[in-house]
Amino acid sequence: MSRTYRTDPELTHRLSRRGMLGVAAGAGAAALLGAAATPATAAAPGAAPSAAGRGRPVLPPGRLGIQLYSLRDKVSTLGFAPVFAELEKYGYDEVEFAGYGQGSAGPITLAQLKRLARNHGLKPIGSHVGYYSDDPNAYTFAQNLTKVLDDAQALGLKHIGTASNPFRYGSTVDAWKRAADEFNTYGAAARARGMKFYQHNHSEEFSFATDNPKVRLYDVLLAETDPDLVYLEMDIYWAYSGQFRFSKRPDGTPAPFDPLDYVLRQPHRYPLFHVKDGVSDPANTYGYRMVDVGDGDIDYQRFISGVTRLRGERLAHHWQAEHDNPAESFTFAQRSSEHLHSLREDC
Protein backbone atom coordinates (compact mmCIF):
# COMPACT_ATOMS: atom_id res chain seq x y z
CA MET A 1 0.00 0.00 0.00
CA SER A 2 1.47 3.31 -1.01
CA ARG A 3 0.97 6.46 1.00
CA THR A 4 1.77 10.09 0.34
CA TYR A 5 2.91 12.29 3.17
CA ARG A 6 2.07 15.92 3.83
CA THR A 7 4.50 18.26 5.47
CA ASP A 8 2.83 19.74 8.53
CA PRO A 9 3.28 23.55 8.75
CA GLU A 10 3.37 23.42 12.56
CA LEU A 11 6.11 20.79 12.46
CA THR A 12 8.07 22.80 9.90
CA HIS A 13 7.86 25.85 12.14
CA ARG A 14 9.04 23.86 15.16
CA LEU A 15 11.97 22.42 13.26
CA SER A 16 13.08 25.79 11.92
CA ARG A 17 13.17 27.10 15.48
CA ARG A 18 15.17 24.13 16.74
CA GLY A 19 17.63 24.42 13.85
CA MET A 20 17.70 22.19 10.83
CA LEU A 21 20.72 19.90 10.96
CA GLY A 22 22.21 18.08 7.99
CA VAL A 23 21.76 14.36 7.62
CA ALA A 24 24.47 12.54 9.56
CA ALA A 25 27.34 11.43 7.36
CA GLY A 26 27.68 7.74 6.69
CA ALA A 27 24.02 6.76 6.80
CA GLY A 28 24.99 3.19 6.07
CA ALA A 29 27.24 3.19 9.14
CA ALA A 30 20.98 0.80 12.67
CA ALA A 31 -12.14 -2.66 16.68
CA LEU A 32 -12.93 -6.06 16.51
CA LEU A 33 -11.46 -8.83 14.47
CA GLY A 34 -11.71 -8.02 10.80
CA ALA A 35 -12.71 -4.41 11.48
CA ALA A 36 -9.39 -2.76 10.69
CA ALA A 37 -10.36 0.79 9.79
CA THR A 38 -9.24 2.53 6.63
CA PRO A 39 -6.05 4.46 7.42
CA ALA A 40 -6.06 8.24 7.27
CA THR A 41 -4.62 9.58 4.04
CA ALA A 42 -2.27 12.55 4.08
CA ALA A 43 -2.30 14.95 1.17
CA ALA A 44 0.65 15.31 -1.18
CA PRO A 45 2.93 18.32 -0.63
CA GLY A 46 1.22 21.46 -1.89
CA ALA A 47 -2.20 19.85 -2.19
CA ALA A 48 -5.25 21.41 -0.59
CA PRO A 49 -5.89 19.94 2.86
CA SER A 50 -8.82 17.57 3.24
CA ALA A 51 -11.69 18.26 5.60
CA ALA A 52 -10.11 15.97 8.19
CA GLY A 53 -6.82 17.81 7.74
CA ARG A 54 -8.32 21.07 9.01
CA GLY A 55 -8.92 19.77 12.53
CA ARG A 56 -6.76 19.89 15.61
CA PRO A 57 -3.58 17.76 15.48
CA VAL A 58 -4.23 14.28 16.81
CA LEU A 59 -0.74 13.98 18.30
CA PRO A 60 -0.40 15.86 21.60
CA PRO A 61 2.38 18.48 21.48
CA GLY A 62 5.70 17.42 22.95
CA ARG A 63 4.77 13.74 23.24
CA LEU A 64 6.31 12.08 20.19
CA GLY A 65 9.17 9.73 20.94
CA ILE A 66 10.94 6.84 19.28
CA GLN A 67 12.10 3.48 20.57
CA LEU A 68 15.83 3.46 19.82
CA TYR A 69 15.74 -0.27 19.06
CA SER A 70 14.45 0.84 15.66
CA LEU A 71 17.74 2.72 15.13
CA ARG A 72 20.06 0.15 16.66
CA ASP A 73 22.06 -0.15 13.44
CA LYS A 74 22.83 3.57 13.48
CA VAL A 75 23.47 3.75 17.23
CA SER A 76 25.93 0.82 17.10
CA THR A 77 27.97 2.32 14.26
CA LEU A 78 27.51 6.10 14.28
CA GLY A 79 26.82 6.49 17.99
CA PHE A 80 24.11 8.36 19.87
CA ALA A 81 25.22 11.87 18.88
CA PRO A 82 24.48 11.63 15.13
CA VAL A 83 21.30 9.68 15.83
CA PHE A 84 20.02 12.29 18.27
CA ALA A 85 20.87 15.02 15.77
CA GLU A 86 18.68 13.30 13.19
CA LEU A 87 15.82 12.81 15.63
CA GLU A 88 15.95 16.48 16.57
CA LYS A 89 15.77 17.33 12.88
CA TYR A 90 12.76 15.08 12.38
CA GLY A 91 10.80 16.71 15.21
CA TYR A 92 11.00 14.10 17.94
CA ASP A 93 10.56 15.14 21.55
CA GLU A 94 11.50 11.97 23.46
CA VAL A 95 13.56 8.79 23.26
CA GLU A 96 13.05 5.36 24.79
CA PHE A 97 16.22 3.35 25.30
CA ALA A 98 16.90 -0.31 24.47
CA GLY A 99 20.37 -0.38 26.01
CA TYR A 100 22.91 2.30 26.86
CA GLY A 101 25.89 1.28 24.71
CA GLN A 102 26.85 2.49 21.25
CA GLY A 103 28.92 -0.40 19.91
CA SER A 104 31.85 0.50 17.69
CA ALA A 105 31.20 4.22 18.27
CA GLY A 106 32.96 3.82 21.62
CA PRO A 107 32.10 4.03 25.31
CA ILE A 108 29.70 6.60 26.68
CA THR A 109 28.69 7.29 30.28
CA LEU A 110 25.13 7.69 31.47
CA ALA A 111 25.87 11.30 32.39
CA GLN A 112 27.13 11.94 28.86
CA LEU A 113 24.12 10.20 27.38
CA LYS A 114 21.69 12.24 29.45
CA ARG A 115 23.44 15.49 28.54
CA LEU A 116 23.59 14.55 24.86
CA ALA A 117 19.84 13.94 24.75
CA ARG A 118 19.16 17.23 26.48
CA ASN A 119 21.43 19.11 24.07
CA HIS A 120 19.34 17.83 21.19
CA GLY A 121 16.02 18.70 22.80
CA LEU A 122 15.18 15.07 23.53
CA LYS A 123 13.74 13.85 26.82
CA PRO A 124 14.68 10.30 27.88
CA ILE A 125 11.23 8.92 28.71
CA GLY A 126 11.80 5.22 29.35
CA SER A 127 13.95 2.15 28.83
CA HIS A 128 13.52 -1.56 28.14
CA VAL A 129 15.37 -4.01 30.39
CA GLY A 130 15.00 -7.80 30.54
CA TYR A 131 12.66 -9.38 33.07
CA TYR A 132 14.83 -12.37 34.00
CA SER A 133 17.67 -14.60 32.82
CA ASP A 134 19.27 -17.90 33.75
CA ASP A 135 22.41 -15.90 34.51
CA PRO A 136 22.22 -14.70 38.14
CA ASN A 137 24.41 -11.72 37.27
CA ALA A 138 22.43 -10.67 34.23
CA TYR A 139 21.26 -7.10 33.80
CA THR A 140 17.57 -7.78 34.42
CA PHE A 141 14.93 -6.79 36.92
CA ALA A 142 15.02 -10.22 38.52
CA GLN A 143 18.81 -10.47 38.82
CA ASN A 144 19.96 -6.87 39.20
CA LEU A 145 17.07 -4.66 40.26
CA THR A 146 19.13 -2.10 42.15
CA LYS A 147 21.53 -1.53 39.24
CA VAL A 148 18.67 -1.25 36.76
CA LEU A 149 16.99 1.42 38.88
CA ASP A 150 20.28 3.21 39.60
CA ASP A 151 20.93 3.56 35.87
CA ALA A 152 17.40 4.70 35.12
CA GLN A 153 17.63 7.29 37.86
CA ALA A 154 20.98 8.53 36.55
CA LEU A 155 19.34 9.13 33.16
CA GLY A 156 16.44 10.96 34.75
CA LEU A 157 13.88 8.46 33.48
CA LYS A 158 10.30 8.68 34.69
CA HIS A 159 9.50 5.19 33.36
CA ILE A 160 11.52 1.97 33.45
CA GLY A 161 10.14 -1.25 32.05
CA THR A 162 10.51 -4.54 30.28
CA ALA A 163 9.50 -5.89 26.89
CA SER A 164 9.71 -9.44 28.24
CA ASN A 165 6.40 -11.25 28.57
CA PRO A 166 5.23 -12.76 31.87
CA PHE A 167 5.62 -16.42 30.82
CA ARG A 168 8.50 -16.99 33.25
CA TYR A 169 6.58 -19.62 35.21
CA GLY A 170 4.34 -20.90 32.44
CA SER A 171 0.98 -20.06 30.91
CA THR A 172 -1.40 -21.01 33.69
CA VAL A 173 -3.38 -18.52 35.75
CA ASP A 174 -1.25 -19.19 38.82
CA ALA A 175 1.94 -18.82 36.79
CA TRP A 176 0.88 -15.36 35.70
CA LYS A 177 -0.20 -14.45 39.22
CA ARG A 178 3.33 -15.33 40.34
CA ALA A 179 4.84 -13.13 37.63
CA ALA A 180 2.42 -10.36 38.56
CA ASP A 181 3.65 -10.52 42.17
CA GLU A 182 7.20 -9.95 40.93
CA PHE A 183 6.06 -7.06 38.76
CA ASN A 184 4.43 -5.53 41.83
CA THR A 185 7.77 -5.79 43.63
CA TYR A 186 9.58 -4.03 40.78
CA GLY A 187 6.84 -1.42 40.64
CA ALA A 188 7.14 -0.65 44.34
CA ALA A 189 10.92 -0.31 44.03
CA ALA A 190 10.54 1.97 41.01
CA ARG A 191 7.95 4.14 42.73
CA ALA A 192 10.29 4.58 45.69
CA ARG A 193 12.71 6.17 43.19
CA GLY A 194 10.04 8.40 41.62
CA MET A 195 9.58 6.19 38.53
CA LYS A 196 6.86 4.01 37.01
CA PHE A 197 7.55 0.36 36.15
CA TYR A 198 5.86 -0.84 32.96
CA GLN A 199 5.45 -3.94 30.81
CA HIS A 200 5.40 -3.89 26.99
CA ASN A 201 3.22 -6.49 25.30
CA HIS A 202 3.60 -8.66 22.24
CA SER A 203 0.71 -10.67 20.78
CA GLU A 204 1.13 -13.74 23.01
CA GLU A 205 -0.08 -11.89 26.09
CA PHE A 206 -3.57 -12.00 24.59
CA SER A 207 -3.62 -15.81 24.46
CA PHE A 208 -5.59 -17.95 26.92
CA ALA A 209 -4.49 -19.73 30.09
CA THR A 210 -3.75 -23.41 29.50
CA ASP A 211 -5.54 -24.43 32.70
CA ASN A 212 -8.55 -22.16 32.13
CA PRO A 213 -9.07 -21.52 28.41
CA LYS A 214 -11.86 -19.03 29.15
CA VAL A 215 -9.36 -16.64 30.74
CA ARG A 216 -7.19 -14.34 28.65
CA LEU A 217 -3.71 -14.06 30.18
CA TYR A 218 -3.52 -10.30 29.62
CA ASP A 219 -6.59 -9.96 31.83
CA VAL A 220 -4.80 -11.89 34.56
CA LEU A 221 -1.88 -9.47 34.35
CA LEU A 222 -4.20 -6.47 34.63
CA ALA A 223 -6.16 -7.95 37.52
CA GLU A 224 -3.22 -9.23 39.56
CA THR A 225 -0.89 -6.23 39.30
CA ASP A 226 -1.39 -3.20 41.52
CA PRO A 227 -2.57 -0.31 39.30
CA ASP A 228 -0.56 2.11 41.42
CA LEU A 229 2.65 0.12 40.93
CA VAL A 230 2.53 -1.59 37.52
CA TYR A 231 1.81 0.22 34.27
CA LEU A 232 1.48 -0.92 30.67
CA GLU A 233 3.09 0.18 27.44
CA MET A 234 0.71 -1.02 24.76
CA ASP A 235 2.45 -1.99 21.57
CA ILE A 236 -0.50 -1.22 19.34
CA TYR A 237 0.69 -3.33 16.41
CA TRP A 238 1.16 -6.43 18.57
CA ALA A 239 -2.18 -5.80 20.29
CA TYR A 240 -3.88 -5.85 16.90
CA SER A 241 -1.95 -8.98 16.07
CA GLY A 242 -3.28 -10.49 19.30
CA GLN A 243 -6.77 -9.46 18.22
CA PHE A 244 -6.25 -11.45 15.01
CA ARG A 245 -4.61 -14.50 16.58
CA PHE A 246 -6.77 -14.89 19.67
CA SER A 247 -10.24 -13.84 18.55
CA LYS A 248 -11.49 -17.28 19.56
CA ARG A 249 -10.95 -19.40 22.64
CA PRO A 250 -9.32 -22.81 22.23
CA ASP A 251 -12.79 -24.39 22.04
CA GLY A 252 -13.68 -22.17 19.09
CA THR A 253 -16.09 -19.83 20.86
CA PRO A 254 -15.75 -16.15 19.84
CA ALA A 255 -13.67 -13.90 22.08
CA PRO A 256 -13.27 -10.64 20.15
CA PHE A 257 -11.69 -7.55 21.67
CA ASP A 258 -10.64 -4.07 20.62
CA PRO A 259 -7.17 -3.00 21.85
CA LEU A 260 -8.38 0.57 22.30
CA ASP A 261 -11.05 -0.60 24.75
CA TYR A 262 -8.36 -1.79 27.16
CA VAL A 263 -6.92 1.71 27.25
CA LEU A 264 -10.25 3.49 27.55
CA ARG A 265 -11.22 1.33 30.52
CA GLN A 266 -8.02 2.13 32.45
CA PRO A 267 -6.30 5.08 30.74
CA HIS A 268 -4.12 5.89 33.73
CA ARG A 269 -2.40 2.51 33.38
CA TYR A 270 -1.07 3.24 29.88
CA PRO A 271 1.45 6.11 30.07
CA LEU A 272 3.40 4.82 27.05
CA PHE A 273 2.52 3.41 23.64
CA HIS A 274 4.47 1.87 20.80
CA VAL A 275 3.27 3.16 17.45
CA LYS A 276 4.12 0.67 14.73
CA ASP A 277 2.11 -0.17 11.67
CA GLY A 278 1.15 -3.23 9.65
CA VAL A 279 -0.59 -4.24 6.47
CA SER A 280 -3.39 -6.72 7.13
CA ASP A 281 -2.38 -10.16 5.88
CA PRO A 282 -4.57 -13.07 7.03
CA ALA A 283 -2.08 -15.52 5.51
CA ASN A 284 0.56 -14.30 7.96
CA THR A 285 0.74 -16.04 11.34
CA TYR A 286 0.48 -12.68 13.08
CA GLY A 287 -2.22 -11.25 10.85
CA TYR A 288 -0.11 -8.33 9.69
CA ARG A 289 3.12 -7.52 7.86
CA MET A 290 5.05 -4.80 9.66
CA VAL A 291 5.62 -1.60 7.66
CA ASP A 292 6.62 2.01 8.32
CA VAL A 293 4.13 4.06 10.31
CA GLY A 294 1.55 5.43 7.89
CA ASP A 295 1.95 2.68 5.29
CA GLY A 296 -0.32 0.18 7.01
CA ASP A 297 -3.91 -0.49 7.98
CA ILE A 298 -3.92 0.50 11.66
CA ASP A 299 -6.05 3.60 12.05
CA TYR A 300 -3.87 5.83 14.21
CA GLN A 301 -6.14 8.84 13.75
CA ARG A 302 -8.83 6.83 15.53
CA PHE A 303 -6.58 5.28 18.14
CA ILE A 304 -4.58 8.32 19.23
CA SER A 305 -7.52 10.71 19.17
CA GLY A 306 -9.57 8.16 21.11
CA VAL A 307 -7.01 8.29 23.91
CA THR A 308 -6.22 12.00 23.86
CA ARG A 309 -9.89 13.00 23.91
CA LEU A 310 -10.20 11.58 27.40
CA ARG A 311 -10.73 14.49 29.73
CA GLY A 312 -7.74 15.12 31.96
CA GLU A 313 -5.65 12.44 30.22
CA ARG A 314 -4.21 14.33 27.24
CA LEU A 315 -0.82 15.04 28.79
CA ALA A 316 -0.44 11.65 30.47
CA HIS A 317 0.46 9.63 27.38
CA HIS A 318 3.63 9.29 25.32
CA TRP A 319 3.78 7.87 21.78
CA GLN A 320 6.92 6.02 20.69
CA ALA A 321 7.34 5.24 16.98
CA GLU A 322 8.87 1.85 16.31
CA HIS A 323 9.67 -0.67 13.59
CA ASP A 324 11.41 -3.92 14.54
CA ASN A 325 13.41 -4.16 11.30
CA PRO A 326 13.05 -1.05 9.12
CA ALA A 327 14.49 -1.14 5.61
CA GLU A 328 16.32 2.12 6.37
CA SER A 329 16.06 3.31 9.93
CA PHE A 330 16.57 7.06 9.42
CA THR A 331 13.98 7.04 6.63
CA PHE A 332 11.58 5.18 8.91
CA ALA A 333 12.10 7.72 11.69
CA GLN A 334 11.55 10.72 9.41
CA ARG A 335 8.48 9.34 7.64
CA SER A 336 6.88 8.20 10.89
CA SER A 337 7.21 11.65 12.41
CA GLU A 338 5.83 13.34 9.29
CA HIS A 339 2.83 11.04 9.18
CA LEU A 340 1.95 11.27 12.86
CA HIS A 341 2.28 15.06 12.88
CA SER A 342 0.03 15.27 9.81
CA LEU A 343 -2.94 13.50 11.43
CA ARG A 344 -5.88 15.74 12.25
CA GLU A 345 -9.08 15.14 14.15
CA ASP A 346 -12.28 15.11 12.11
CA CYS A 347 -14.12 18.41 12.06
Side-chain angles (χ1 to χ4, degrees):
M1 176 181 297
S2 63
R3 181 72 58 84
T4 56
Y5 289 76
R6 178 172 61 84
T7 300
D8 178 32
E10 294 183 16
L11 175 59
T12 301
H13 177 64
R14 287 175 57 215
L15 296 183
S16 64
R17 288 171 53 211
R18 294 172 75 170
M20 299 293 285
L21 301 177
V23 176
L32 298 175
L33 179 68
T38 302
T41 302
S50 65
R54 291 194 293 269
R56 183 177 64 179
V58 167
L59 190 70
R63 299 293 171 174
L64 179 61
I66 191 166
Q67 166 50 254
L68 291 171
Y69 181 77
S70 304
L71 294 156
R72 61 193 181 279
D73 61 324
K74 301 296 194 292
V75 171
S76 65
T77 52
L78 300 177
F80 284 106
V83 170
F84 287 175
E86 288 301 293
L87 296 179
E88 180 182 21
K89 173 185 173 183
Y90 303 153
Y92 284 93
D93 309 295
E94 302 170 338
V95 289
E96 182 183 34
F97 291 100
Y100 310 131
Q102 53 181 2
S104 61
I108 186 170
T109 67
L110 295 177
Q112 290 171 329
L113 189 52
K114 180 181 179 181
R115 182 168 58 252
L116 187 63
R118 183 182 66 236
N119 290 346
H120 286 287
L122 299 168
K123 180 179 180 180
I125 193 64
S127 181
H128 283 187
V129 177
Y131 167 21
Y132 67 94
S133 169
D134 293 334
D135 179 0
N137 298 313
Y139 187 79
T140 68
F141 281 95
Q143 280 83 5
N144 218 325
L145 178 61
T146 298
K147 174 62 174 170
V148 168
L149 296 180
D150 285 346
D151 291 348
Q153 200 164 23
L155 283 167
L157 301 181
K158 294 300 182 183
H159 308 84
I160 178 69
T162 183
S164 304
N165 61 46
F167 285 98
R168 180 180 186 181
Y169 302 109
S171 54
T172 65
V173 172
D174 284 344
W176 274 54
K177 287 182 177 181
R178 186 176 176 186
D181 284 342
E182 294 183 342
F183 282 10
N184 286 331
T185 297
Y186 308 150
R191 187 169 74 168
R193 305 279 196 107
M195 293 178 281
K196 292 180 178 179
F197 169 80
Y198 64 94
Q199 193 266 344
H200 162 287
N201 65 275
H202 293 88
S203 62
E204 289 78 10
E205 282 87 335
F206 297 95
S207 63
F208 297 92
T210 53
D211 62 332
N212 189 342
K214 294 183 178 181
V215 175
R216 195 180 300 276
L217 289 171
Y218 195 70
D219 295 335
V220 177
L221 179 66
L222 285 168
E224 297 298 327
T225 51
D226 187 328
D228 293 326
L229 298 178
V230 177
Y231 298 84
L232 291 307
E233 177 179 60
M234 179 174 281
D235 186 302
I236 300 166
Y237 170 90
W238 286 121
Y240 274 93
S241 173
Q243 179 196 61
F244 171 84
R245 297 179 66 193
F246 305 109
S247 66
K248 295 181 180 180
R249 298 182 181 89
D251 64 2
T253 58
F257 71 92
D258 184 341
L260 179 58
D261 285 346
Y262 274 104
V263 182
L264 299 183
R265 285 195 293 267
Q266 300 188 63
H268 66 286
R269 297 203 72 179
Y270 293 88
L272 305 173
F273 293 90
H274 272 192
V275 180
K276 63 175 64 160
D277 213 342
V279 172
S280 179
D281 181 3
N284 186 298
T285 300
Y286 296 101
Y288 292 87
R289 290 181 288 104
M290 196 176 298
V291 295
D292 288 354
V293 177
D295 287 342
D297 296 325
I298 297 177
D299 188 349
Y300 276 110
Q301 182 180 25
R302 169 186 176 265
F303 196 101
I304 299 176
S305 63
V307 174
T308 57
R309 283 172 184 162
L310 294 169
R311 186 174 181 179
E313 293 291 339
R314 184 174 176 84
L315 297 180
H317 302 99
H318 305 261
W319 306 88
Q320 316 296 309
E322 187 184 32
H323 191 310
D324 290 354
N325 294 289
E328 208 298 311
S329 54
F330 278 154
T331 300
F332 156 75
Q334 181 178 15
R335 296 179 76 236
S336 298
S337 176
E338 289 174 354
H339 177 70
L340 291 169
H341 278 103
S342 78
L343 295 179
R344 293 291 185 272
E345 293 191 23
D346 293 329
C347 295

